[in-house]
Amino acid sequence: MTQSNHYDAIVIGAGPAGLTAGIYLSRAKLNTLILNHGTVGGQLVLTHEIANYPGVEPTSGYKLASTMKKQAQSFGAVIKTISQIPQISTEGSLKVVKVGDASYTASAIILTPGGTPRMLGVKGELDFKGQGISYCATCDGEFFTGKEIIVVGGGNSALEEAVSLSKYASKVTIVHQFDHFQAFPAYVEEAKANPKINFIMETLVEEFAGDGKLERVLLHDKKTGERKWFNTEGAFIFIGYQPNTEFLKGLIDLNERDEIVVDADMQTSVAGIFAAGDSIAKRYRQVTTAVGEATIAALAAANHVFELKRTEKVTA
């Protein structure tokens, strides 16, 4: 049986951006539905510690996400977990979201699908995913207690998580393809001051190998051209995220990196469809930027909905 439900606004995704949008929309007395595929909180719940969220004492990403979820629900937002990727279309001013047999309509949509960790795409990576290779320090760090591991990457996430992983691992080796890091100086200094952390620079990881579990990686020194095996019991990969926007192709404009293109009001190329968070085209990706963008998107979406209601009253 097909179910059909109408809402003032529908939010796709329940990471920090989606939950923030839900808070603002529902607090504006708009009937709001948040559809989420995966864990509520998104990538936020995988973060070991949030120490730079204004006005909040250092806390875990999981706790912050839980607070955001409760806040959204307290204002009336409905959060539904979906097992399928939604299909979105437009019918005049209405937006239609189909998930399996269920169909939802709304006057406005806010897209906050976030992203998924990028893979290196080298030999053996898929074979040892979950068998020594991880993309989440918070999820798997404890499994590597007392072991020697590597961290691949050179941005903020790589260095932050390397420090976090040093609480469990006996030794952490950061492997980075360039001769310098892209992380903020404070993160670099903290990692360099940690006695458990070592560095291999200007080096690529070309292969993962082992007997049933990860035991070694093939490193390619870009300066000398030398290739050699490096023994390790685990590998954590932090090289950025791929926006979860495949389902939006053909609906709205995406850039060459498949990021959502938005204007100053966070509106996409389709009127009434807004976006925020890690899936939009931008330079910086932080929890604070996500919630800021979602605030703008929600206020603009609310204005869009109220304007449609005023127009409908005039023409009625």
Side-chain angles (χ1 to χ4, degrees):
M1 182 181 295
T2 300
Q3 300 176 345
S4 181
N5 299 288
H6 180 73
Y7 292 83
D8 290 316
I10 295 176
V11 180
I12 307 295
L19 294 172
T20 299
I23 290 169
Y24 272 82
L25 290 166
S26 54
R27 193 167 184 268
K29 305 302 182 183
L30 293 178
N31 191 17
T32 304
L33 173 66
I34 302 175
L35 296 174
N36 186 61
H37 185 268
T39 304
V40 173
Q43 297 296 326
L44 181 60
V45 302
L46 307 181
T47 305
H48 178 70
E49 182 180 74
I50 301 291
N52 55 358
Y53 195 92
V56 176
E57 294 289 338
T59 184
S60 70
Y62 176 81
K63 288 182 179 179
L64 184 57
S66 296
T67 301
M68 289 180 174
K69 176 184 176 182
K70 291 176 183 177
Q71 194 174 2
Q73 291 175 321
S74 72
F75 288 123
V78 176
I79 301 176
K80 289 188 178 183
T81 299
I82 56 178
S83 58
Q84 296 173 287
I85 302 299
Q87 295 179 310
I88 303 173
S89 59
T90 60
E91 293 182 3
S93 62
L94 276 183
K95 318 304 175 195
V96 182
V97 181
K98 293 183 179 180
V99 185
D101 290 334
S103 181
Y104 308 95
T105 58
S107 299
I109 286 178
I110 297 181
L111 302 168
T112 62
T116 52
R118 289 185 184 276
M119 298 179 66
L120 288 171
V122 301
K123 185 177 180 181
E125 185 173 8
L126 288 175
D127 298 330
F128 294 99
K129 187 178 180 181
Q131 299 293 325
I133 296 179
S134 174
Y135 305 84
C136 174
T138 304
C139 311
D140 303 322
E142 193 173 359
F143 296 124
F144 295 87
T145 299
K147 297 182 178 181
E148 295 188 7
I149 64 173
I150 67 168
V151 167
V152 183
N156 290 331
S157 294
L159 272 72
E160 279 187 287
E161 300 298 2
V163 171
S164 174
L165 287 164
S166 71
K167 298 173 184 177
Y168 305 106
S170 60
K171 180 181 178 181
V172 178
T173 301
I174 297 177
V175 180
H176 187 40
Q177 62 177 319
F178 302 119
D179 63 355
H180 62 282
F181 292 110
Q182 289 76 43
F184 293 146
Y187 297 151
V188 177
E189 291 170 9
E190 186 178 12
K192 288 184 175 181
N194 191 311
K196 283 189 175 182
I197 298 179
N198 300 276
F199 306 88
I200 300 179
M201 307 297 286
E202 295 185 80
T203 299
L204 299 171
V205 174
E206 291 194 337
E207 184 178 345
F208 295 95
D211 185 10
K213 61 180 181 179
L214 181 65
E215 296 174 340
R216 58 191 180 277
V217 295
L218 183 61
L219 301 181
H220 176 199
D221 189 318
K222 294 170 62 178
K223 292 181 296 182
T224 66
E226 179 186 8
R227 287 177 171 82
K228 63 179 180 181
W229 289 100
F230 182 87
N231 293 331
T232 186
E233 297 172 275
F236 286 79
I237 301 171
F238 303 110
I239 56 171
Y241 291 92
Q242 175 68 37
N244 296 327
T245 56
E246 183 67 29
F247 72 106
L248 299 173
K249 290 183 176 179
L251 174 68
I252 57 174
D253 288 347
L254 305 176
N255 67 13
E256 67 279 3
R257 294 183 296 277
D258 290 335
E259 298 165 328
I260 302 171
V261 178
V262 295
D263 63 16
D265 288 330
M266 299 296 136
Q267 185 165 242
T268 69
S269 56
V270 175
I273 299 182
F274 304 81
D278 286 356
S279 59
I280 71 170
K282 60 179 181 177
R283 182 175 181 181
Y284 300 113
R285 287 173 168 76
Q286 296 286 302
V287 179
T288 48
T289 60
V291 301
E293 294 148 6
T295 300
I296 296 171
L299 292 173
N303 185 63
H304 178 83
V305 174
F306 292 137
E307 186 60 35
L308 284 177
K309 289 184 176 183
R310 283 193 291 269
T311 303
E312 289 172 358
K313 281 185 178 181
V314 171
T315 57

